[in-house]
Amino acid sequence: MEGIRNWLLPALLAIQQLAYWPGRALRDGDQTGAAQLTAALIVAVVITAGLGVRRSRPVAAALVVEAGLVGGSFLPEDATLLHSVAVLVALYSVVVRRPVRTAAPVGAVLVVAEAVRAAMLFDSVVEVGGETLVNCALFLTVVGLGRSRRRWLAGRRAAARDLARAETERNRAAGTERLRLARELHDVSAHHLTSVVVTADAALRLGDRRPELTGQALEFAAGSGRETLEALHRLVAMMRTRAADEESGIEERVGELADGFARLGLRPAVDVAPDLAALTGPVADAAFGIVREALTNALRYAPGAAVRVRIGVFERDGAVDLRVEDDGVAGPTPPDASSSGARQRLGAGRGTAGMRERAAALDGTLEAGPRADGPGWSVRARLPRTTAPLRRHASRHRALRGLDPADGATVLAVASLPVFAVLAESPGDTALACGPALVHALPLLWRRRAPWAVLCAVLATAWLAPLGVAFGIVSPAVALCLAVGGAVAQCVAVHAVGAFAGPARVTWPAMAVGAAGLSLSSLALAAADGMADLDQDGGFGAVVFMACALGVLFLFPLAVPWTVGAVVRARRERIRAIEDHALTETVRAAVFEAYEERRRIAVELRGEVVRHAGEVVARAEAGDLKGVADEARAGLSSMRDLLAALREVTDPGNVRGPRRHPTTAGVRTTPESPEKEVPPSPPRTRTPEPSE
């Protein structure tokens, strides 16, 4: 099928050209030599072969087609008439399939080659200039159409990539959620229970020689158990948040997170820049994760502290500026935070490292440490946004925002038409016609951004021709050429309204507005030229009648570009709606699957681990040190089974099995092992976590 698409159009053009010449010449009995017939056949084969590879090698195809046309310049003009269309098709393929830096030089080469070919065909400088100008207008029109098509295809490819990425994320959503929850389960609770087991076993072994260790171990087990329960309850609550959390704006997500930590004793204050309130996507997810980890650390090391969360924008590059600062310990500090061993039991130093990993995944940076301006802790992250440089560039050139080379090509193509007409009618006035023609077409640069304003500007500049005749600046012939070019510009503007200004039920008056403007400017031109004396031909009533008649006459040709624009817009919106729906459904499914995985794990977590952690506290308060150790081991065993299940399901092909985590297997003692005194750790102090 692809081969048929590649060769069908070249074959049809070649057949039609050969049927037109030399077919018609032979049918009419014209004298045609064998050399000319052979040359015409060779040119047709070369052009057809070149055009056949326009999809795979567009630049080579354009150059081969143009070389074939130049080589056939010695043939009669009719011998390459239809072959000229092949140049436009080849240039269109170049513009669609190659970037501007490639298409622009190719277009320039084609213009020069066509000028040389025109010089070989025509003797008059005026004819050569006119032919070159017409070719420029045609080439620019093709460039505009090609750029529009390229932009459309780029949008479809981007939508396809987004959908494929969303499908990939959906397929691994549950697995990703398992890994993330496994890491958090390990960090927030496994080391807590491990420390309880180690301390309880040491106190049981050394109880005869150090009886004071039993009370300290029970006190430590009760505190660690409560902290574990608090962390587990908080994690379960986070798992059971609504499924749309990931789709909410960063301000709403961080606000709900702060409210949850406020109920646990912190005093958080959230300040989000207005233009970031609705931020979603990877940057928002990373910022949310960093804030959550920073608040967790603040709750762990500075319970009751005032915490300020600020999410702003760096003025230099538009990246997200995230700051989480607390004012130090405002309540009793939990014990055991100074030694490196205790730090590992509480979180293995993964808090700051995890935040750095989130920032590094977006090519960002993160700094954490004591505040320089007072007591407390500070976390600051810089998260780049890929759209920031584009916005910064657009703000510097607001008038040129959203413009494309296709817009400039459209303006030049429309402006060259009246100039060519003036060149053919009155070559001496060509320079005088360039200015009005360019002014009349210049508003079309912004036809995508402000189509209604562009239509009004084109209608206003249409009065340049009658005013020029009235003041004797231009001749009536030049003014007529400018009026014809203005009509073309109005057709383009009406098409822009239909394609970019809104649905058809809103934009249909553009046809009437354009027809009214054309009729009034035409009457003014006729009056300025003296072709109509409106005062003697019936007065105001005659003017109204003639304006209405001309308006109806112009309405039908203007309906064509508007209809084309409206149809193109409807098709574009329909395709985008289908793509958006597919992407939305895929993302929603991914969020739902991740939510269901959280909910399932939350049920399993509450079933065993939370129960054993609660028993640790109860046995510690009852003074049962052996029961504390047994319940802590049972909790660790349940945690180990849950973590192993999570990792095995996530990576079933892992032949090495799930990664081992601290469990009771790593803290049991055997009779052969020497007894080592493990005293309870001293009270904790706030120290920076080592970076990985």
Side-chain angles (χ1 to χ4, degrees):
M1 182 62 69
E2 185 66 21
I4 295 176
R5 292 181 58 189
N6 290 340
W7 293 99
L8 181 59
L9 179 60
L12 290 177
L13 287 176
I15 292 173
Q16 291 179 1
Q17 176 60 66
L18 293 176
Y20 180 71
W21 196 98
R24 191 184 67 171
L26 294 175
R27 185 177 63 250
D28 295 341
D30 296 339
Q31 295 295 327
T32 304
Q36 287 185 329
L37 293 176
T38 304
L41 183 60
I42 294 175
V43 169
V45 171
V46 171
I47 293 178
T48 303
L51 203 59
V53 297
R54 68 191 184 280
R55 296 179 185 273
S56 58
R57 298 178 179 85
V59 175
L63 297 178
V64 168
V65 169
E66 185 60 38
L69 284 176
V70 174
S73 300
F74 65 92
L75 293 172
E77 184 178 356
D78 292 343
T80 56
L81 183 62
L82 295 180
H83 284 324
S84 301
V85 179
V87 178
L88 302 179
V89 175
L91 178 60
Y92 178 82
S93 299
V94 172
V95 176
V96 171
R97 289 171 172 78
R98 294 294 181 265
V100 176
R101 63 178 179 272
T102 302
V106 173
V109 170
L110 295 182
V111 169
V112 173
E114 285 296 321
V116 173
R117 180 167 170 263
M120 297 171 63
L121 293 175
F122 305 106
D123 297 330
S124 173
V125 177
V126 175
E127 291 180 343
V128 173
E131 183 73 13
T132 303
L133 195 59
V134 169
N135 289 331
C136 289
L138 291 175
F139 287 174
L140 289 172
T141 303
V142 170
V143 168
L145 295 175
R147 286 292 301 176
S148 298
R149 180 65 176 173
R150 179 179 175 84
R151 183 166 49 245
W152 170 257
L153 293 177
R156 304 291 64 73
R157 287 193 295 269
R161 287 194 299 269
D162 292 341
L163 183 58
R165 189 182 304 112
E167 287 287 353
T168 302
E169 292 296 332
R170 175 186 176 182
N171 293 334
R172 65 184 184 187
T176 302
E177 195 68 10
R178 292 187 196 102
L179 288 177
R180 186 177 68 84
L181 293 176
R183 182 181 63 186
E184 297 196 11
L185 284 171
H186 176 263
D187 288 348
V188 303
S189 56
H191 291 297
H192 296 62
L193 294 176
T194 301
S195 63
V196 172
V197 173
V198 172
T199 304
D201 283 348
L204 287 173
R205 293 196 310 272
L206 303 177
D208 296 338
R209 291 179 295 171
R210 299 279 304 274
E212 71 276 7
L213 292 180
T214 301
Q216 295 178 6
L218 290 172
E219 181 181 358
F220 175 76
S224 296
R226 293 190 188 96
E227 188 174 354
T228 302
L229 275 176
E230 182 180 286
L232 290 175
H233 283 306
R234 184 171 65 249
L235 188 58
V236 170
M238 181 199 69
M239 292 179 188
R240 290 189 167 187
T241 55
R242 65 182 189 277
D245 277 349
E246 288 81 354
E247 297 177 327
S248 304
I250 186 64
E251 184 177 34
E252 180 180 357
R253 295 175 65 183
V254 173
E256 291 181 356
L257 184 68
D259 292 340
F261 276 92
R263 290 191 291 270
L264 298 176
L266 281 182
R267 292 175 291 155
V270 178
D271 180 17
V272 181
D275 57 338
L276 296 179
L279 179 66
T280 58
V283 177
D285 294 339
F288 179 79
I290 292 173
V291 171
R292 185 182 63 194
E293 187 65 35
L295 291 179
T296 300
N297 288 341
L299 181 65
R300 178 183 299 168
Y301 301 117
V307 185
R308 292 175 295 278
V309 179
R310 301 175 183 174
I311 304 178
V313 179
F314 282 96
E315 295 182 358
R316 183 181 60 186
D317 56 3
V320 174
D321 181 14
L322 172 62
R323 301 187 187 187
V324 182
E325 300 174 336
D326 63 67
D327 59 359
V329 179
T333 305
D336 192 22
S338 61
S339 66
S340 61
R343 299 282 309 171
Q344 292 176 357
R345 285 194 296 270
L346 287 173
R350 291 292 303 171
T352 304
M355 290 188 287
R356 286 199 177 96
E357 289 174 1
R358 293 180 185 273
L362 298 176
D363 294 330
T365 59
L366 184 135
E367 299 176 357
R371 293 175 57 183
D373 56 349
W377 198 261
S378 173
V379 174
R380 184 174 186 181
R382 176 186 175 277
L383 306 176
R385 290 184 293 172
T386 56
T387 55
L390 296 179
R391 286 197 303 271
R392 198 169 62 250
H393 177 75
S395 62
R396 293 177 182 174
H397 309 285
R398 294 183 179 180
L400 301 179
R401 185 187 309 169
L403 297 186
D404 189 84
D407 301 320
T410 301
V411 170
L412 294 177
V414 173
S416 63
L417 293 177
V419 175
F420 168 70
V422 173
L423 179 64
E425 290 290 334
S426 179
D429 296 330
T430 303
L432 187 62
C434 291
L438 185 60
V439 170
H440 197 50
L442 191 61
L444 297 177
L445 275 176
W446 296 274
R447 71 189 192 282
R448 303 175 191 273
R449 291 173 47 192
W452 280 110
V454 168
L455 177 60
C456 294
V458 171
L459 291 175
T461 55
W463 290 82
L464 292 176
L467 290 176
V469 174
F471 288 99
I473 300 176
V474 296
S475 64
V478 173
L480 181 60
C481 295
L482 293 176
V484 173
V488 175
Q490 291 199 29
C491 289
V492 176
V494 170
H495 172 272
V497 172
F500 305 111
R505 65 178 182 275
V506 176
T507 60
W508 66 264
M511 296 182 290
V513 173
L518 275 177
S519 63
L520 293 177
S521 60
S522 299
L523 285 177
L525 180 59
D529 191 22
M531 292 185 296
D533 191 347
L534 302 180
D535 293 334
Q536 296 181 1
D537 291 343
F540 181 75
V543 173
V544 174
F545 174 78
M546 294 175 65
C548 292
L550 286 176
V552 173
L553 184 63
F554 290 135
L555 187 62
F556 293 100
L558 288 176
V560 175
W562 176 85
T563 303
V564 173
V567 170
V568 170
R569 176 184 176 84
R571 177 177 177 271
R572 181 174 63 241
E573 293 298 329
R574 183 174 65 256
I575 293 177
R576 288 178 177 173
I578 294 173
E579 293 171 346
D580 292 344
H581 177 73
L583 183 61
T584 301
E585 289 300 319
T586 302
V587 172
R588 182 180 291 111
V591 172
F592 179 77
E593 290 175 6
Y595 169 72
E596 285 297 315
E597 190 65 22
R598 289 201 305 266
R599 188 184 62 82
R600 184 185 67 80
I601 296 173
V603 172
E604 297 181 6
L605 192 63
R606 289 180 63 88
E608 293 294 332
V609 181
V610 173
R611 182 176 63 82
H612 287 302
E615 287 295 325
V616 167
V617 177
R619 296 297 178 90
E621 292 177 346
D624 184 3
L625 187 59
K626 187 176 184 304
V628 166
D630 292 340
E631 290 295 337
R633 279 196 185 87
L636 279 174
S637 178
S638 299
M639 178 75 70
R640 177 192 60 193
D641 294 339
L642 179 57
L643 291 174
L646 289 176
R647 295 191 179 277
E648 286 175 356
V649 172
T650 302
D651 187 15
N654 186 3
V655 296
R656 295 178 300 177
R659 191 176 63 183
R660 296 300 298 262
H661 295 281
T663 62
T664 53
V667 297
R668 291 194 183 98
T669 57
T670 61
E672 292 80 12
S673 61
E675 293 185 345
K676 183 178 180 180
E677 190 171 318
V678 184
S681 302
R684 291 183 290 187
T685 58
R686 187 76 172 272
T687 56
E689 295 185 359
S691 61
E692 295 186 353

